[in-house]
Amino acid sequence: MEATSGREVAVIEVGGMVCQNCVKHVNEALRQVPGVETVEVNLDKKQAQVIFDSGAASVAQLMQAVNGAGYDAKGVTRGKV
């Protein structure tokens, strides 16, 4: 299967965030993934919105980053930017 690239947006539902320190950890973890352009983490909505280059990063990598930071990446909605 041929890889496609382009700017995409992924909205990841994040479980386990309870404070601004959690937001900081999720934000930092996602920014470490190569290809990530912007990250916005919303504590009230328990979501992280990530704009990334799909040729350099995958949704699986984004979810793995959230999980690796100690939180629960529950689901993703994605689309083109």
Side-chain angles (χ1 to χ4, degrees):
M1 188 162 120
E2 202 173 302
T4 59
S5 64
R7 291 179 74 218
E8 289 194 32
V9 60
V11 179
I12 304 168
E13 292 182 36
V14 182
M17 290 194 305
V18 296
C19 64
Q20 287 301 318
N21 205 31
C22 297
V23 169
K24 179 181 171 189
H25 287 138
V26 171
N27 193 318
E28 289 173 352
L30 287 166
R31 288 184 185 277
Q32 295 296 315
V33 177
V36 168
E37 295 178 18
T38 64
V39 177
E40 291 182 25
V41 182
N42 186 308
L43 179 61
D44 293 332
K45 292 183 179 180
K46 307 280 194 247
Q47 292 179 338
Q49 179 176 299
V50 184
I51 295 176
F52 65 103
D53 178 354
S54 61
S58 68
V59 170
Q61 287 173 302
L62 300 176
M63 294 183 76
Q64 185 177 24
V66 171
N67 292 332
Y71 301 92
D72 184 20
K74 296 181 176 188
V76 175
T77 304
R78 63 188 283 188
K80 294 286 184 187
V81 176

